Amino acid sequence: PIGSTVLTGGVMACVSAFFTTDEYLFVKGLYDAGCQNYFDAIGWHWYSVDAGFVNEPPSATQLFYLELLKCRDLMVAKGDSAKKIWITECGIPFPDASVTLTQARDRLKVMLELLLGNAWIDKVFIYNYRNSGTNLTDGNNVFGAVDFNFVKKQPIWDYLKTLRGGL
């Protein structure tokens, strides 16, 4: 429909662990298969983890951030410089045994500054608003800005309120 943006599925991979390809090869495969005219933007998931899916601080040299830049270069080389990338998921797990809430806030801030420093990043969606459950050993239950009972995770909550649009 007019005014709609067609996204690819959110691309996320890990060189090892439970994924079998990386983001670049997937996006390259879209172009190689002739899909260029069937999407308006790339959907992308970025979690700052290493190849084994272990948390690490986000940085300009972080493995999956470099994959994002490599894919952007591919898009430009294929004539798609006008197309944007939407970050359809990103986040920092908190609490995590190795990361305090203050460290998580600082990591999230670095992640968002890196992403939003690129004019070709159109939207960024933080995963997620609320922990999915109470078992904190389950990886999906530690990303929320609030816990399962809607208790705000300070100082993360305060930082998110400062962002464009706030909470």
Side-chain angles (χ1 to χ4, degrees), residues 7-128:
L7 298 174
T8 65
V11 179
M12 179 181 151
C14 196
V15 176
S16 62
F18 53 88
F19 293 105
T20 59
T21 191
D22 65 35
E23 301 99 321
Y24 176 80
L25 291 177
F26 181 85
V27 174
K28 182 179 181 303
L30 291 175
Y31 283 100
D32 291 347
C35 297
Q36 183 170 355
N37 296 323
Y38 297 97
F39 62 89
D40 302 314
I42 299 283
W44 193 274
H45 296 355
W46 180 33
Y47 293 94
S48 190
V49 293
D50 66 16
F53 226 66
V54 175
N55 292 325
E56 64 183 6
S59 73
T61 60
Q62 196 277 330
L63 175 65
F64 298 115
Y65 183 73
L66 293 176
E67 285 281 308
L68 174 67
L69 299 178
K70 188 175 171 183
C71 283
R72 179 60 187 172
D73 289 344
L74 174 66
M75 292 171 70
V76 170
K78 295 292 187 176
D80 274 349
S81 61
K83 289 185 180 178
K84 305 285 186 175
I85 296 177
W86 288 28
I87 306 301
T88 49
E89 281 187 26
C90 72
I92 304 290
F94 37 82
D96 175 288
S98 64
V99 180
T100 68
L101 289 173
T102 300
Q103 290 169 322
R105 178 211 53 211
D106 294 344
R107 289 182 180 190
L108 186 60
K109 184 176 181 182
V110 168
M111 176 180 273
L112 294 177
E113 287 172 352
L114 283 167
L115 292 170
L116 297 174
N118 297 297
W120 41 267
I121 297 290
D122 193 30
K123 307 270 190 271
V124 176
F125 297 90
I126 298 171
Y127 178 84
N128 64 6

